[in-house]
Every structure is written in structure tokens, then in C-alpha cells.
Amino acid sequence: THHHTSHRLRTMKAARTLTTAAASVALICALPTSTEAMEKVESRNLNMAEDDVSRELMHLSVSFKEECLHKPKDECIDAINARVLETPAIFGNPHVVNYDVRKIREETDEGYNLVSLRTNMDTTTIGGLLGDGMIWYPYEWCLAADNCYTIGPWDCDVGIPLTKEECCKMIKDSVPTADMNGNYLECYFEYPVGTSENPVQTNRIIIHTDANDVVVHIPKNE
């Protein structure tokens, strides 16, 4: 039993390392939004986790607030490994836990000019983080160092949800000028867990960190 337990821990810890390509994709995917919006999202995620089974995704979703939030990434992963060993069935009895570590984008990072558009479950219309069609951009738009202004939010639900293309065009038309670096505002489409573009993986745990490898959002298996 000890041999199997040690082997399982080594296997799970080996899964911490992301390839360079995966890390690059994760950096672009980890698009932040307003603090207020993220607090609402995480509150809703906790409520869903308390119900154990997400009615939308029909799989057991476990959150790791106590183990991870505002703690170093490695400490978070060790705590999750221990929890998986205690109750492996909850995670589908995984041979490997897939830790998808994503550094939250900062204003100085490549891709700062991308605005994230989360789709509805149909993957063709825009729902936004809260499902209300609202899209947020986390930074000011600067035409010069002393000429910055707030852009957004944008409402991509005008009675009926706009398509990806319609929402993106509306947003880009509202900010037609390149910033001081010569970059234009561009769209990035994000797909909810459980869609064909982002299927459920019960052994996948997404961990968002800051530049200091501290966990900034509540991880959960999804």
C-alpha cells in the first residue's frame, strides 16, 4: 500500500510541470477581468460547489479555497494531492492530476490588448463571465503616457445575445485607435467548461497565479 501511495504521489507531482507550449497558451488564456466581476464569479462558483454536482455540467465539482486561495502554488498543489489521495473517487480515480497553471496576464505582458469574450454554452453567442452579456477590459487604454482612459464595459446581450463576431465588432468599433504601442484592441474567445471547445476533465485543476506564483482565484476540478 505504501508503495502504491508513494508512486501515485510521485506521478501527481510530476504533472506539475507544464511544457513551454502549454504555458504559452495558458498565459493567453488567463485573461483577467474587473475585481468586482471576478468576486461575483467566485461567489457563484462556491455556491455551485456546495451543491456538489453542477446542474449545468453534470459532474462533481470540488473547490479548493481553504487549501489554495492566496497561498503559494506549490503549497496549493501539495494540499490538493493529499485531498485526492483521501477521496480519489471524487476526481474519477485519476492516475495523473492535470494541473493547468495559468499566470494571470498583467498590463506589461504580451497580449495586454486582448479583451476576453466568454461565449454561452452554444459557443456561438456571447454570455460574458456572469452570463449577462457584459464584457470587461481590466486596463486603461493609453494613447500616450499622459493620455489614458477607461474603455468598456460592453453589453453584448441586447435582448438576445450577440454572436461572437457581432460582439467583437461592436467592441473594436468603440475603440478604433491604436494605443501608444501601436496595438489595436483585439478579441479573444473563451469557451465555458462543458462545451465542445472546452470539454469537462474531472482530473483537470486550473490554478491561476500572479507573477509571484501565488494563487489568486479559487481552483476547482473542471
Side-chain angles (χ1 to χ4, degrees), residues 46-69:
L46 280 178
N47 290 337
M48 291 173 69
E50 287 172 359
D51 292 336
D52 287 335
V53 179
S54 166
R55 292 188 178 91
E56 291 181 357
L57 304 182
M58 296 304 291
H59 80 283
L60 195 61
S61 179
V62 182
S63 64
F64 300 95
K65 180 179 180 180
E66 297 301 323
E67 294 90 342
C68 294
L69 189 60

PDB file of all heavy atoms in Angstrom, residues 46-69:
ATOM      1  N   LEU A  46     -18.542  29.002  -5.761  1.00  0.00           N
ATOM      2  CA  LEU A  46     -18.624  28.368  -4.450  1.00  0.00           C
ATOM      3  C   LEU A  46     -20.028  27.820  -4.213  1.00  0.00           C
ATOM      4  O   LEU A  46     -20.202  26.727  -3.674  1.00  0.00           O
ATOM      5  CB  LEU A  46     -18.251  29.375  -3.363  1.00  0.00           C
ATOM      6  CG  LEU A  46     -16.747  29.597  -3.149  1.00  0.00           C
ATOM      7  CD1 LEU A  46     -16.540  30.662  -2.077  1.00  0.00           C
ATOM      8  CD2 LEU A  46     -16.053  28.312  -2.757  1.00  0.00           C
ATOM      9  N   ASN A  47     -21.037  28.596  -4.601  1.00  0.00           N
ATOM     10  CA  ASN A  47     -22.408  28.119  -4.424  1.00  0.00           C
ATOM     11  C   ASN A  47     -22.656  26.852  -5.228  1.00  0.00           C
ATOM     12  O   ASN A  47     -23.318  25.929  -4.757  1.00  0.00           O
ATOM     13  CB  ASN A  47     -23.390  29.212  -4.863  1.00  0.00           C
ATOM     14  CG  ASN A  47     -23.407  30.384  -3.911  1.00  0.00           C
ATOM     15  OD1 ASN A  47     -23.039  30.226  -2.739  1.00  0.00           O
ATOM     16  ND2 ASN A  47     -23.798  31.547  -4.399  1.00  0.00           N
ATOM     17  N   MET A  48     -22.108  26.785  -6.426  1.00  0.00           N
ATOM     18  CA  MET A  48     -22.267  25.592  -7.248  1.00  0.00           C
ATOM     19  C   MET A  48     -21.541  24.411  -6.622  1.00  0.00           C
ATOM     20  O   MET A  48     -22.028  23.292  -6.621  1.00  0.00           O
ATOM     21  CB  MET A  48     -21.735  25.847  -8.664  1.00  0.00           C
ATOM     22  CG  MET A  48     -22.575  26.829  -9.470  1.00  0.00           C
ATOM     23  SD  MET A  48     -21.817  27.257 -11.049  1.00  0.00           S
ATOM     24  CE  MET A  48     -21.984  25.688 -11.894  1.00  0.00           C
ATOM     25  N   ALA A  49     -20.344  24.681  -6.051  1.00  0.00           N
ATOM     26  CA  ALA A  49     -19.574  23.598  -5.437  1.00  0.00           C
ATOM     27  C   ALA A  49     -20.288  23.052  -4.214  1.00  0.00           C
ATOM     28  O   ALA A  49     -20.212  21.859  -3.917  1.00  0.00           O
ATOM     29  CB  ALA A  49     -18.183  24.101  -5.057  1.00  0.00           C
ATOM     30  N   GLU A  50     -20.992  23.926  -3.488  1.00  0.00           N
ATOM     31  CA  GLU A  50     -21.711  23.463  -2.301  1.00  0.00           C
ATOM     32  C   GLU A  50     -22.823  22.497  -2.688  1.00  0.00           C
ATOM     33  O   GLU A  50     -23.224  21.646  -1.908  1.00  0.00           O
ATOM     34  CB  GLU A  50     -22.285  24.672  -1.556  1.00  0.00           C
ATOM     35  CG  GLU A  50     -21.200  25.478  -0.825  1.00  0.00           C
ATOM     36  CD  GLU A  50     -21.755  26.770  -0.263  1.00  0.00           C
ATOM     37  OE1 GLU A  50     -22.960  27.028  -0.469  1.00  0.00           O
ATOM     38  OE2 GLU A  50     -20.988  27.505   0.366  1.00  0.00           O
ATOM     39  N   ASP A  51     -23.346  22.620  -3.889  1.00  0.00           N
ATOM     40  CA  ASP A  51     -24.361  21.685  -4.372  1.00  0.00           C
ATOM     41  C   ASP A  51     -23.751  20.385  -4.852  1.00  0.00           C
ATOM     42  O   ASP A  51     -24.462  19.448  -5.200  1.00  0.00           O
ATOM     43  CB  ASP A  51     -25.142  22.304  -5.540  1.00  0.00           C
ATOM     44  CG  ASP A  51     -25.996  23.466  -5.081  1.00  0.00           C
ATOM     45  OD1 ASP A  51     -26.340  23.492  -3.882  1.00  0.00           O
ATOM     46  OD2 ASP A  51     -26.300  24.335  -5.899  1.00  0.00           O
ATOM     47  N   ASP A  52     -22.408  20.325  -4.835  1.00  0.00           N
ATOM     48  CA  ASP A  52     -21.618  19.161  -5.257  1.00  0.00           C
ATOM     49  C   ASP A  52     -21.681  18.903  -6.753  1.00  0.00           C
ATOM     50  O   ASP A  52     -20.677  18.873  -7.434  1.00  0.00           O
ATOM     51  CB  ASP A  52     -22.017  17.880  -4.506  1.00  0.00           C
ATOM     52  CG  ASP A  52     -21.545  17.894  -3.074  1.00  0.00           C
ATOM     53  OD1 ASP A  52     -20.564  18.595  -2.793  1.00  0.00           O
ATOM     54  OD2 ASP A  52     -22.165  17.209  -2.257  1.00  0.00           O
ATOM     55  N   VAL A  53     -22.857  18.688  -7.292  1.00  0.00           N
ATOM     56  CA  VAL A  53     -22.966  18.391  -8.710  1.00  0.00           C
ATOM     57  C   VAL A  53     -23.486  19.623  -9.434  1.00  0.00           C
ATOM     58  O   VAL A  53     -24.548  20.123  -9.128  1.00  0.00           O
ATOM     59  CB  VAL A  53     -23.906  17.202  -8.968  1.00  0.00           C
ATOM     60  CG1 VAL A  53     -24.019  16.924 -10.473  1.00  0.00           C
ATOM     61  CG2 VAL A  53     -23.395  15.971  -8.246  1.00  0.00           C
ATOM     62  N   SER A  54     -22.699  20.121 -10.383  1.00  0.00           N
ATOM     63  CA  SER A  54     -23.133  21.257 -11.180  1.00  0.00           C
ATOM     64  C   SER A  54     -24.269  20.808 -12.091  1.00  0.00           C
ATOM     65  O   SER A  54     -24.114  19.899 -12.883  1.00  0.00           O
ATOM     66  CB  SER A  54     -21.970  21.788 -12.019  1.00  0.00           C
ATOM     67  OG  SER A  54     -22.459  22.646 -13.003  1.00  0.00           O
ATOM     68  N   ARG A  55     -25.422  21.467 -11.958  1.00  0.00           N
ATOM     69  CA  ARG A  55     -26.558  21.077 -12.794  1.00  0.00           C
ATOM     70  C   ARG A  55     -26.256  21.297 -14.274  1.00  0.00           C
ATOM     71  O   ARG A  55     -26.753  20.581 -15.129  1.00  0.00           O
ATOM     72  CB  ARG A  55     -27.791  21.889 -12.391  1.00  0.00           C
ATOM     73  CG  ARG A  55     -28.317  21.534 -11.006  1.00  0.00           C
ATOM     74  CD  ARG A  55     -29.649  22.207 -10.729  1.00  0.00           C
ATOM     75  NE  ARG A  55     -30.167  21.836  -9.434  1.00  0.00           N
ATOM     76  CZ  ARG A  55     -29.915  22.503  -8.318  1.00  0.00           C
ATOM     77  NH1 ARG A  55     -29.144  23.560  -8.355  1.00  0.00           N
ATOM     78  NH2 ARG A  55     -30.426  22.112  -7.169  1.00  0.00           N
ATOM     79  N   GLU A  56     -25.427  22.309 -14.566  1.00  0.00           N
ATOM     80  CA  GLU A  56     -25.133  22.581 -15.960  1.00  0.00           C
ATOM     81  C   GLU A  56     -24.176  21.559 -16.532  1.00  0.00           C
ATOM     82  O   GLU A  56     -24.321  21.112 -17.659  1.00  0.00           O
ATOM     83  CB  GLU A  56     -24.536  23.988 -16.110  1.00  0.00           C
ATOM     84  CG  GLU A  56     -25.530  25.106 -15.824  1.00  0.00           C
ATOM     85  CD  GLU A  56     -24.899  26.472 -16.022  1.00  0.00           C
ATOM     86  OE1 GLU A  56     -23.685  26.529 -16.316  1.00  0.00           O
ATOM     87  OE2 GLU A  56     -25.602  27.466 -15.879  1.00  0.00           O
ATOM     88  N   LEU A  57     -23.144  21.192 -15.773  1.00  0.00           N
ATOM     89  CA  LEU A  57     -22.091  20.346 -16.303  1.00  0.00           C
ATOM     90  C   LEU A  57     -22.286  18.884 -15.955  1.00  0.00           C
ATOM     91  O   LEU A  57     -21.668  18.013 -16.546  1.00  0.00           O
ATOM     92  CB  LEU A  57     -20.728  20.821 -15.777  1.00  0.00           C
ATOM     93  CG  LEU A  57     -20.393  22.292 -16.071  1.00  0.00           C
ATOM     94  CD1 LEU A  57     -19.007  22.598 -15.538  1.00  0.00           C
ATOM     95  CD2 LEU A  57     -20.474  22.584 -17.547  1.00  0.00           C
ATOM     96  N   MET A  58     -23.139  18.609 -14.959  1.00  0.00           N
ATOM     97  CA  MET A  58     -23.444  17.239 -14.566  1.00  0.00           C
ATOM     98  C   MET A  58     -22.183  16.454 -14.196  1.00  0.00           C
ATOM     99  O   MET A  58     -21.996  15.311 -14.586  1.00  0.00           O
ATOM    100  CB  MET A  58     -24.208  16.527 -15.686  1.00  0.00           C
ATOM    101  CG  MET A  58     -25.565  17.131 -15.985  1.00  0.00           C
ATOM    102  SD  MET A  58     -26.650  17.231 -14.535  1.00  0.00           S
ATOM    103  CE  MET A  58     -26.986  15.496 -14.262  1.00  0.00           C
ATOM    104  N   HIS A  59     -21.261  17.097 -13.471  1.00  0.00           N
ATOM    105  CA  HIS A  59     -20.121  16.371 -12.931  1.00  0.00           C
ATOM    106  C   HIS A  59     -19.805  16.955 -11.574  1.00  0.00           C
ATOM    107  O   HIS A  59     -20.172  18.075 -11.263  1.00  0.00           O
ATOM    108  CB  HIS A  59     -18.908  16.454 -13.868  1.00  0.00           C
ATOM    109  CG  HIS A  59     -18.143  17.724 -13.756  1.00  0.00           C
ATOM    110  ND1 HIS A  59     -18.591  18.899 -14.324  1.00  0.00           N
ATOM    111  CD2 HIS A  59     -16.969  18.014 -13.142  1.00  0.00           C
ATOM    112  CE1 HIS A  59     -17.727  19.855 -14.072  1.00  0.00           C
ATOM    113  NE2 HIS A  59     -16.741  19.357 -13.362  1.00  0.00           N
ATOM    114  N   LEU A  60     -19.126  16.170 -10.761  1.00  0.00           N
ATOM    115  CA  LEU A  60     -18.814  16.590  -9.408  1.00  0.00           C
ATOM    116  C   LEU A  60     -17.710  17.632  -9.431  1.00  0.00           C
ATOM    117  O   LEU A  60     -16.623  17.379  -9.945  1.00  0.00           O
ATOM    118  CB  LEU A  60     -18.380  15.380  -8.576  1.00  0.00           C
ATOM    119  CG  LEU A  60     -18.362  15.581  -7.062  1.00  0.00           C
ATOM    120  CD1 LEU A  60     -19.758  15.929  -6.554  1.00  0.00           C
ATOM    121  CD2 LEU A  60     -17.869  14.317  -6.375  1.00  0.00           C
ATOM    122  N   SER A  61     -18.000  18.813  -8.917  1.00  0.00           N
ATOM    123  CA  SER A  61     -17.045  19.907  -8.926  1.00  0.00           C
ATOM    124  C   SER A  61     -16.611  20.206  -7.499  1.00  0.00           C
ATOM    125  O   SER A  61     -17.440  20.445  -6.635  1.00  0.00           O
ATOM    126  CB  SER A  61     -17.683  21.149  -9.568  1.00  0.00           C
ATOM    127  OG  SER A  61     -16.779  22.222  -9.573  1.00  0.00           O
ATOM    128  N   VAL A  62     -15.298  20.164  -7.263  1.00  0.00           N
ATOM    129  CA  VAL A  62     -14.754  20.376  -5.926  1.00  0.00           C
ATOM    130  C   VAL A  62     -13.872  21.616  -5.952  1.00  0.00           C
ATOM    131  O   VAL A  62     -12.973  21.735  -6.794  1.00  0.00           O
ATOM    132  CB  VAL A  62     -13.924  19.163  -5.460  1.00  0.00           C
ATOM    133  CG1 VAL A  62     -13.413  19.384  -4.044  1.00  0.00           C
ATOM    134  CG2 VAL A  62     -14.760  17.890  -5.541  1.00  0.00           C
ATOM    135  N   SER A  63     -14.123  22.562  -5.051  1.00  0.00           N
ATOM    136  CA  SER A  63     -13.299  23.767  -4.988  1.00  0.00           C
ATOM    137  C   SER A  63     -12.278  23.638  -3.865  1.00  0.00           C
ATOM    138  O   SER A  63     -12.434  22.841  -2.943  1.00  0.00           O
ATOM    139  CB  SER A  63     -14.175  25.007  -4.766  1.00  0.00           C
ATOM    140  OG  SER A  63     -14.819  24.935  -3.506  1.00  0.00           O
ATOM    141  N   PHE A  64     -11.219  24.442  -3.965  1.00  0.00           N
ATOM    142  CA  PHE A  64     -10.094  24.328  -3.028  1.00  0.00           C
ATOM    143  C   PHE A  64      -9.741  25.702  -2.462  1.00  0.00           C
ATOM    144  O   PHE A  64      -8.596  26.158  -2.553  1.00  0.00           O
ATOM    145  CB  PHE A  64      -8.880  23.720  -3.741  1.00  0.00           C
ATOM    146  CG  PHE A  64      -9.134  22.352  -4.301  1.00  0.00           C
ATOM    147  CD1 PHE A  64      -9.518  22.199  -5.623  1.00  0.00           C
ATOM    148  CD2 PHE A  64      -9.007  21.227  -3.504  1.00  0.00           C
ATOM    149  CE1 PHE A  64      -9.759  20.942  -6.144  1.00  0.00           C
ATOM    150  CE2 PHE A  64      -9.247  19.961  -4.017  1.00  0.00           C
ATOM    151  CZ  PHE A  64      -9.631  19.820  -5.334  1.00  0.00           C
ATOM    152  N   LYS A  65     -10.727  26.354  -1.858  1.00  0.00           N
ATOM    153  CA  LYS A  65     -10.496  27.695  -1.313  1.00  0.00           C
ATOM    154  C   LYS A  65      -9.535  27.647  -0.138  1.00  0.00           C
ATOM    155  O   LYS A  65      -8.528  28.382  -0.105  1.00  0.00           O
ATOM    156  CB  LYS A  65     -11.823  28.329  -0.889  1.00  0.00           C
ATOM    157  CG  LYS A  65     -11.650  29.727  -0.313  1.00  0.00           C
ATOM    158  CD  LYS A  65     -12.986  30.344   0.081  1.00  0.00           C
ATOM    159  CE  LYS A  65     -12.776  31.742   0.656  1.00  0.00           C
ATOM    160  NZ  LYS A  65     -14.073  32.372   1.052  1.00  0.00           N
ATOM    161  N   GLU A  66      -9.825  26.809   0.844  1.00  0.00           N
ATOM    162  CA  GLU A  66      -9.004  26.772   2.055  1.00  0.00           C
ATOM    163  C   GLU A  66      -7.583  26.316   1.752  1.00  0.00           C
ATOM    164  O   GLU A  66      -6.621  26.795   2.339  1.00  0.00           O
ATOM    165  CB  GLU A  66      -9.636  25.851   3.100  1.00  0.00           C
ATOM    166  CG  GLU A  66     -11.000  26.307   3.596  1.00  0.00           C
ATOM    167  CD  GLU A  66     -10.956  27.693   4.233  1.00  0.00           C
ATOM    168  OE1 GLU A  66      -9.946  27.985   4.919  1.00  0.00           O
ATOM    169  OE2 GLU A  66     -11.904  28.483   4.038  1.00  0.00           O
ATOM    170  N   GLU A  67      -7.460  25.365   0.823  1.00  0.00           N
ATOM    171  CA  GLU A  67      -6.146  24.810   0.518  1.00  0.00           C
ATOM    172  C   GLU A  67      -5.271  25.760  -0.292  1.00  0.00           C
ATOM    173  O   GLU A  67      -4.038  25.690  -0.201  1.00  0.00           O
ATOM    174  CB  GLU A  67      -6.292  23.504  -0.279  1.00  0.00           C
ATOM    175  CG  GLU A  67      -6.932  22.366   0.492  1.00  0.00           C
ATOM    176  CD  GLU A  67      -8.434  22.333   0.342  1.00  0.00           C
ATOM    177  OE1 GLU A  67      -9.017  23.361  -0.065  1.00  0.00           O
ATOM    178  OE2 GLU A  67      -9.036  21.284   0.631  1.00  0.00           O
ATOM    179  N   CYS A  68      -5.909  26.647  -1.070  1.00  0.00           N
ATOM    180  CA  CYS A  68      -5.143  27.317  -2.108  1.00  0.00           C
ATOM    181  C   CYS A  68      -5.208  28.838  -2.162  1.00  0.00           C
ATOM    182  O   CYS A  68      -4.204  29.483  -2.492  1.00  0.00           O
ATOM    183  CB  CYS A  68      -5.583  26.788  -3.466  1.00  0.00           C
ATOM    184  SG  CYS A  68      -5.176  25.043  -3.729  1.00  0.00           S
ATOM    185  N   LEU A  69      -6.351  29.432  -1.905  1.00  0.00           N
ATOM    186  CA  LEU A  69      -6.514  30.854  -2.184  1.00  0.00           C
ATOM    187  C   LEU A  69      -5.510  31.696  -1.412  1.00  0.00           C
ATOM    188  O   LEU A  69      -5.389  31.577  -0.191  1.00  0.00           O
ATOM    189  CB  LEU A  69      -7.940  31.291  -1.855  1.00  0.00           C
ATOM    190  CG  LEU A  69      -8.323  32.702  -2.305  1.00  0.00           C
ATOM    191  CD1 LEU A  69      -8.187  32.851  -3.824  1.00  0.00           C
ATOM    192  CD2 LEU A  69      -9.730  33.051  -1.860  1.00  0.00           C
TER     193      LEU A  69
END
